[in-house]
Amino acid sequence: MAGVSLAELRRLLATDAPLVRAIPLPAVRERRSVTVTCPPHPVADALFDRLGGALPVDDEDAFNVFSALTSTLTTHYAYLATLSSWASGHGIAPDQAERYVRGLFADLGRSLSDETRSLERLAADHETPGGTNERIRTTWFSPANATALREALDALLTDLT
């Protein structure tokens, strides 16, 4: 129940029982997703630890930040669909374009499990200075686009609180 506070849940349910908010994602069914919980609770956190990991946070402000981050998932898929559509518009068969984009980003996604490198380091490790990756990153994901994304997340966060 995104955007429903613990206080509101407590009021709606008319209970003093322990309540925990959680953000389980679809990958939890494969035990590959970290689940944010608030407030920390030994039973809930133990459950989610078995399902990919619990990330307990103490306050709902932090929980709402994670909730806002979760709201970017479909944007990522839309980005991938746009890449595939762009390739199809340049003569690549749609099934081939989608297969390539899926493979490209599935492989890239595996590098995210290397928590010894920051996200900035991963980006740098996948880019040649002055190369094509750097060109697209710096021209498409410009400071203005980064600011627009932050502003969209800030507006969503305001709505969640």
Side-chain angles (χ1 to χ4, degrees), residues 66-154:
F66 286 107
S67 185
L69 290 174
T70 302
S71 301
T72 66
L73 291 174
T74 59
T75 301
H76 181 72
Y77 287 124
Y79 170 77
L80 299 179
T82 300
L83 296 177
S84 181
S85 174
W86 175 85
S88 296
H90 286 275
I92 305 299
D95 61 325
Q96 290 180 333
E98 188 166 308
R99 180 178 177 208
Y100 184 73
V101 168
R102 285 175 180 266
L104 182 67
F105 284 87
D107 184 56
L108 188 65
R110 282 190 278 281
S111 67
L112 291 173
S113 63
D114 177 4
E115 294 182 14
T116 65
R117 295 184 289 169
S118 69
L119 295 174
E120 290 82 8
R121 179 78 258 153
L122 285 172
D125 289 350
H126 283 84
E127 163 176 294
T128 303
T132 58
N133 278 287
E134 181 182 74
R135 179 178 174 179
I136 294 299
R137 180 183 55 78
T138 59
T139 57
W140 182 76
F141 200 70
S142 66
N145 277 346
T147 297
L149 177 56
R150 285 185 188 94
E151 289 172 353
L153 288 167
D154 284 341

Side-chain angles (χ1 to χ4, degrees), residues 43-64:
V43 174
D45 295 342
L47 169 68
F48 289 114
D49 275 338
R50 290 190 303 272
L51 298 174
L55 180 58
V57 297
D58 291 321
D59 64 81
E60 287 188 279
D61 289 338
F63 183 86
N64 288 332

